[in-house]
Amino acid sequence: MNNKAIVLLSGGLDSTLAVRVLCDQGIEVVALNFTSPFCNCGGRKEGCQHQAVKVARELNIPIRVFMKGLEYMKLVENPPHGYGSGMNPCIDCRIYILRKAKELMAEAGASFVATGEVLGQRPMSQQRHTLAVIERESGLEGLILRPLSALHFTPTIPEREGIVDRGKLLAISGRGRREQIELAADLGINDYPCPAGGCLLTEKSIAARLRDLFQHKPDYGMTDLHLLSVGRHFRLSPQLKIVVGRNETENKKIVSLAGSKGNIFQPSLFRGPAAFADGCLNGASREVIGRIIAAYSQENLPAYQLEEISAGERKAVFTVEGRYPREQCDILRIDDGIVKSPDAALRRIPRHCGVL
């Protein structure tokens, strides 16, 4: 066994501290960062990947960045160990990540893996019994070192063999972060934008949108996943969903992500959001889309002119009279649960608003 380790580095406070504790012992570290459409790192525009790369650069260690793509999403669809509060398969996600770390360990010639996990910090994946399951099923028994909580566990193989000095490891546990913040101050670590990290799959609105995607579009791709965290989502029929921007930034993001994938609807001659239509369109559904866009305009007009853009080219210009009240649009929103019968939901919109 050598003194080289793969360390999972999210860019958050705990993983940054774990890397620093090992570097200060002279351990050769290769950082491994995982990113996905569901990363939620303290609201920073740069995201978790940016912070992880920044930390690696400051500590002068190499880093590998791995995208959890469609292979991972198949696991999210049917996680053997179930979900947390939303669609977050925390235990299976951790097993997946550590299996990838094990592959890199062999490739890089490292002897063990280290993480920033703290015993008892996360209710699903960082309890003693679940940590044991994760370690066993990842194939890394005895080879996962948790420097911040190491003294709460049986010594790992690198500790027993003297590669890591156990006397310089810590005994942090629980959900508070006072000890980590104090340690960061002692080590001169001041920039940690996401102390606790985050995963959008725990959010109810994202979970509802993801269930809807799994139900209605089994051949989804990465664009569909990235769109889940953008805008307002409406299910108009089993064959048609639309995503409507909430501000100029989201309007641009919708066009950037989906402009080449389907039809974009934009206001013409009035201020309002852009919308991406994913699915089968007809004259009636275009009218509904127009009225929903108009509902989120701040202009109260007798008629609204819109343009339909396909693959970057203007396809049509059309006009709708009137708009839906926003509370009626909410009937079609996916955010708080799947719209089980879109046709019935459309029929609940008052006739004077333009029922199909």
Side-chain angles (χ1 to χ4, degrees):
M1 173 169 277
N2 59 35
N3 72 335
K4 190 173 186 179
I6 304 298
V7 183
L8 304 184
L9 179 61
S10 69
L13 176 58
D14 294 343
S15 63
T16 300
L17 290 172
V19 170
R20 180 64 184 272
V21 168
L22 291 182
C23 286
D24 286 352
Q25 286 204 32
I27 302 298
E28 184 180 354
V29 167
V30 176
L32 178 57
N33 172 258
F34 288 84
T35 185
S36 84
F38 306 107
C39 291
N40 180 27
C41 187
R44 280 205 173 185
K45 293 181 180 179
E46 300 95 336
C48 304
Q49 177 184 338
H50 171 88
Q51 185 65 15
V53 171
K54 180 175 179 289
V55 170
R57 187 183 300 120
E58 289 174 351
L59 295 177
N60 196 29
I61 58 174
I63 183 169
R64 304 279 188 93
V65 177
F66 186 87
M67 166 60 77
K68 294 189 289 186
L70 295 178
E71 173 194 29
Y72 171 73
M73 291 308 301
K74 294 303 176 184
L75 176 66
V76 176
E77 285 190 54
N78 295 289
H81 295 283
Y83 298 111
S85 59
M87 288 285 281
N88 47 310
C90 297
I91 295 173
D92 292 290
C93 177
R94 207 66 188 168
I95 293 168
Y96 173 88
I97 286 173
L98 286 166
R99 285 174 177 170
K100 294 296 181 183
K102 184 180 179 182
E103 292 174 10
L104 180 58
M105 189 172 77
E107 177 187 329
S111 293
F112 62 99
V113 173
T115 80
E117 292 169 306
V118 170
L119 179 64
Q121 187 177 97
R122 296 188 184 273
M124 189 171 180
S125 63
Q126 292 182 12
Q127 301 303 313
R128 189 176 295 276
H129 65 286
T130 52
L131 288 170
V133 170
I134 291 167
E135 188 166 322
R136 182 176 65 252
E137 295 193 18
S138 67
L140 287 168
E141 286 184 283
L143 294 173
I144 301 176
L145 176 68
R146 303 174 179 90
L148 303 187
S149 283
L151 301 186
H152 290 293
F153 296 97
T154 302
T156 59
I157 295 172
E159 292 171 85
R160 295 199 300 266
E161 295 196 3
I163 303 297
V164 175
D165 184 350
R166 185 172 173 85
K168 295 180 180 179
L169 303 179
L170 298 116
I172 300 173
S173 65
R175 306 196 70 174
R177 281 192 156 71
R178 179 181 57 80
E179 292 176 89
Q180 290 98 310
I181 292 170
E182 289 176 354
L183 177 60
D186 291 342
L187 295 175
I189 298 172
N190 301 307
D191 184 16
Y192 42 91
C194 44
C199 176
L200 291 174
L201 291 175
T202 63
E203 295 188 5
K204 290 183 178 180
S205 61
I206 299 297
R209 296 174 186 186
L210 187 58
R211 292 189 193 100
D212 177 84
L213 184 68
F214 289 161
Q215 178 180 344
H216 292 102
K217 193 174 183 181
D219 60 341
Y220 62 85
M222 291 304 294
T223 295
D224 300 297
L225 298 172
H226 283 287
L227 280 169
L228 293 178
S229 59
V230 182
R232 307 173 181 92
H233 290 235
F234 302 84
R235 174 61 59 185
L236 303 191
S237 76
Q239 295 78 36
L240 179 62
K241 180 181 85 169
I242 65 169
V243 181
V244 179
R246 289 175 290 200
N247 51 50
E248 184 178 359
T249 298
E250 289 198 338
N251 291 341
K252 290 178 179 178
K253 190 168 185 179
I254 287 169
V255 173
S256 173
L257 284 170
S260 63
K261 303 291 183 182
N263 288 30
I264 299 291
F265 292 82
Q266 292 182 323
S268 176
L269 306 179
F270 74 94
R271 293 173 298 166
F276 165 59
D278 185 15
C280 301
L281 288 163
N282 56 36
S285 59
R286 286 179 170 87
E287 191 169 343
V288 172
I289 292 169
R291 287 198 173 98
I292 291 175
I293 290 174
Y296 291 96
S297 168
Q298 300 201 3
E299 298 185 42
N300 190 3
L301 305 172
Y304 298 85
Q305 183 174 292
L306 300 106
E307 59 182 17
E308 180 180 350
I309 300 168
S310 180
E313 300 290 334
R314 179 186 285 185
K315 183 176 180 180
V317 176
F318 63 98
T319 300
V320 296
E321 295 182 2
R323 59 181 179 175
Y324 293 142
R326 291 193 185 182
E327 62 269 20
Q328 298 299 336
C329 294
D330 288 343
I331 295 171
L332 300 169
R333 288 279 291 268
I334 297 171
D335 294 359
D336 295 323
I338 298 173
V339 180
K340 295 186 184 208
S341 178
D343 292 338
L346 282 171
R347 287 196 294 274
R348 288 168 59 193
I349 295 177
R351 291 196 174 277
H352 70 270
C353 298
V355 145
L356 298 182

